[in-house]
Amino acid sequence: RQSRGWLVFGSFQFQPSELAKIAFLVLLAYCFAKRHIGIAHLKNIVISFVYFLIPAFIIFIQPDWGSAFVFLGLWIGFLLISEINFLPLGPIPLGILFFTNFFL
């Protein structure tokens, strides 16, 4: 199955996922800034994970693995910068590894 991730307007081509990456950065920045006091609460981490999951899943089914992993890297980068305790997040990377190994 071929990926049709490019939109063509005459001689101009672009991927909508590139605009989604910018929107995702702004959304995560807003989400983390709004909840900066309690960002380490599991509820807030799950909310930010859902913000990651929706566009990543849409891009993943195209299949455009590279862009989906960029979204994952952006989300993990925001988590690292927010200085949260990663111990409760242990199952998430394991789930992602299981998911990618199961479908590869």
Side-chain angles (χ1 to χ4, degrees), residues 25-63:
L25 280 172
V26 171
L27 178 67
L28 277 184
Y30 175 77
C31 173
F32 278 58
K34 184 178 175 184
R35 297 173 173 89
H36 72 280
I37 300 288
I39 195 61
H41 294 127
L42 188 59
K43 174 187 165 193
N44 294 327
I45 296 170
V46 169
I47 289 171
S48 70
F49 182 71
V50 170
Y51 290 156
F52 150 73
L53 197 60
I54 293 169
F57 180 74
I58 292 169
I59 291 170
F60 181 76
I61 61 175
Q62 276 195 350

Side-chain angles (χ1 to χ4, degrees), residues 63-85:
D64 185 7
W65 285 70
S67 292
F69 281 117
V70 168
F71 276 85
L72 177 64
L74 291 172
W75 180 67
I76 290 173
F78 266 89
L79 291 178
L80 288 172
I81 290 172
S82 67
E83 298 179 353
I84 63 170
N85 181 8

Side-chain angles (χ1 to χ4, degrees), residues 6-15:
W6 290 88
L7 295 179
V8 179
F9 297 105
S11 62
F12 181 71
Q13 299 180 13
F14 76 97
Q15 280 186 302

Side-chain angles (χ1 to χ4, degrees), residues 89-101:
L89 297 178
I92 292 173
L94 294 175
I96 291 169
L97 285 174
F98 174 76
F99 182 77
T100 56
N101 285 329

